[in-house]
Amino acid sequence: MSSGPSMETEFPTARDGRAAAHSAEAPAASEADGDARSGTQLARRGDDDRDPYQQLFNQLQDNAGKNGSTGAVPRMIDIRRQLTEFQLHYKFGMDEVLTKINVLREEFEHTRDYSPIEHVNYRLKSLDRILEKVDRYGCEPTLEGIRGAIRDIAGIRITCSFVSDAYWVAEMLCSQPDLRVVEVKDYIHRPKPNGYKSLHVIVQVPVFLSNRTEFVYVEVQIRTVAMDFWASLEHKIYYTYDGEVPDEILEELHDAAQKADALDRQMAEIRDRVTSLKEQAPTSGQGATGPTPDAQDRPDSGRWFPEADASQAWRWEDIAAQASSSSGD
């Protein structure tokens, strides 16, 4: 059985940096409104108290009572408000990270002759998908339980031309001082058994609300065009067969993943020959037109490296090691 990539594929695509930041609002808000409206359906979904829909609905009802809501209609309005607020916090967190990515993208497009970022896609996980994951994980089906256990409700995917660019973008993004890197999974160096390759970074971003600051989880996936093409096809096949993919197709997908990897390597070699200058050939920490900024030009490593020297320029290996030690892995 194929495991499939962890991020759903219903990502709207931004054609340019500014479009990503602005167009993020309408689809995300629309889905949040849809989840709020689905509050009227929660009570009908579960047959007993063990159903995650019913348990979440029970908690929302209790919260409505604590807020002083009485009567069926005011309680339902309050339940919708709670769901809308829950979803919007993830939208706000996603918008914050999208802005950071688009700043990097526009900086390279306007001040350099090359940008490591080809495409940016994003999505908010729907309430149905969230509760499916609650059921699969066995976590507590409450708003607090979901916040703590499910970290990919807000998801961003960055597509790059080359493997070295994927690591470079990860380094630049993770080094920003107001982001806390919670977890990293390097499926490029260690692909999944089915051949899936990508960098996964879970970050916490502060969202400044009217009366408090919320720290929201956002998952960022960074991959090459070839990796993204393979993952999109694998995802469609996985759902076409409802998870029961025939062995011969799985073998062909694994073979295709190896060919995609070979294509990435070949294209990098061609680029290196074209650039001709060895110091401009990207390695981890370098882009196609040269190295990342010097240490003194890099931002403070932030709260997730509290003991760090602020002048140190962090590389992907450092980021992955620190995130692993912080999470206790």
Side-chain angles (χ1 to χ4, degrees):
M1 182 182 295
S2 171
S3 61
S6 67
M7 188 175 289
E8 302 156 27
T9 57
E10 62 271 17
F11 282 63
T13 302
R15 295 185 181 274
D16 58 61
R18 285 168 295 184
H22 295 161
S23 64
E25 298 179 6
S30 173
E31 189 165 353
D33 291 342
D35 283 343
R37 287 191 296 272
S38 69
T40 59
Q41 304 169 5
L42 277 172
R44 308 188 201 118
R45 296 296 297 268
D47 296 327
D48 56 59
D49 288 342
R50 292 171 297 176
D51 185 275
Y53 283 90
Q54 185 64 53
Q55 292 183 61
L56 179 58
F57 182 72
N58 290 342
Q59 188 213 17
L60 296 174
Q61 275 195 316
D62 291 342
N63 290 346
K66 293 174 184 177
N67 292 337
S69 299
T70 58
V73 173
R75 280 177 174 270
M76 191 57 63
I77 292 174
D78 196 279
I79 287 171
R80 292 179 59 183
R81 179 195 59 76
Q82 293 177 61
L83 289 172
T84 299
E85 185 179 61
F86 174 81
Q87 194 80 342
L88 281 176
H89 290 179
Y90 286 96
K91 175 194 175 297
F92 297 152
M94 184 175 69
D95 287 346
E96 290 285 342
V97 180
L98 278 171
T99 297
K100 293 176 178 296
I101 294 168
N102 291 326
V103 166
L104 292 174
R105 186 178 187 179
E106 291 199 29
E107 176 193 357
F108 279 96
E109 288 177 348
H110 293 292
T111 66
R112 306 195 190 189
D113 58 355
Y114 175 83
S115 173
I117 299 174
E118 291 286 343
H119 308 291
V120 181
N121 310 83
Y122 52 92
R123 66 97 181 91
L124 286 175
K125 195 179 288 291
S126 68
L127 182 63
D128 281 347
R129 297 272 184 162
I130 292 170
L131 289 177
E132 285 175 9
K133 207 159 192 177
V134 166
D135 196 38
R136 191 162 71 248
Y137 282 13
C139 64
E140 184 181 4
T142 63
L143 297 183
E144 294 77 14
I146 292 170
R147 285 190 188 99
I150 301 179
R151 298 176 173 180
D152 64 342
I153 294 175
I156 299 173
R157 182 178 298 152
I158 303 172
T159 307
C160 305
S161 293
F162 304 105
V163 172
S164 57
D165 289 343
Y167 285 104
W168 187 25
V169 170
E171 290 167 3
M172 287 188 288
L173 186 63
C174 293
S175 294
Q176 300 206 12
D178 56 342
L179 290 183
R180 178 179 182 269
V181 179
V182 177
E183 183 180 11
V184 297
K185 294 181 180 179
D186 190 343
Y187 294 121
I188 294 180
H189 282 158
R190 293 177 295 279
K192 289 186 178 182
N194 63 353
Y196 175 79
K197 302 182 76 172
S198 184
L199 294 180
H200 290 198
V201 182
I202 304 292
V203 299
Q204 270 188 318
V205 57
V207 173
F208 300 98
L209 304 170
S210 59
N211 58 352
R212 67 188 186 280
T213 300
E214 290 275 352
F215 288 87
V216 177
Y217 289 112
V218 178
E219 181 185 65
V220 183
Q221 293 183 358
I222 310 172
R223 59 178 66 155
T224 67
V225 175
M227 294 174 194
D228 189 58
F229 175 61
W230 182 93
S232 297
L233 178 61
E234 195 270 353
H235 183 85
K236 292 174 184 176
I237 291 173
Y238 175 74
Y239 280 99
T240 297
Y241 285 94
D242 196 23
E244 300 294 336
V245 184
D247 290 341
E248 61 271 18
I249 294 183
L250 291 178
E251 291 176 3
E252 290 187 35
L253 278 171
H254 192 272
D255 181 63
Q258 293 178 323
K259 290 177 179 176
D261 178 64
L263 178 62
D264 273 335
R265 295 176 185 274
Q266 182 179 13
M267 296 304 292
E269 290 172 359
I270 292 173
R271 171 211 54 201
D272 291 349
R273 290 202 301 271
V274 170
T275 56
S276 73
L277 297 176
K278 185 174 179 60
E279 62 269 22
Q280 289 186 327
T283 60
S284 179
Q286 289 188 314
T289 56
T292 54
D294 293 334
Q296 63 267 23
D297 298 324
R298 296 289 291 272
D300 186 346
S301 53
R303 289 175 292 106
W304 56 283
F305 279 147
E307 75 285 356
D309 179 356
S311 65
Q312 182 170 355
W314 289 96
R315 296 168 63 85
W316 171 255
E317 293 80 3
D318 306 317
I319 294 166
Q322 180 67 20
S324 296
S325 64
S326 298
S327 62
D329 294 342

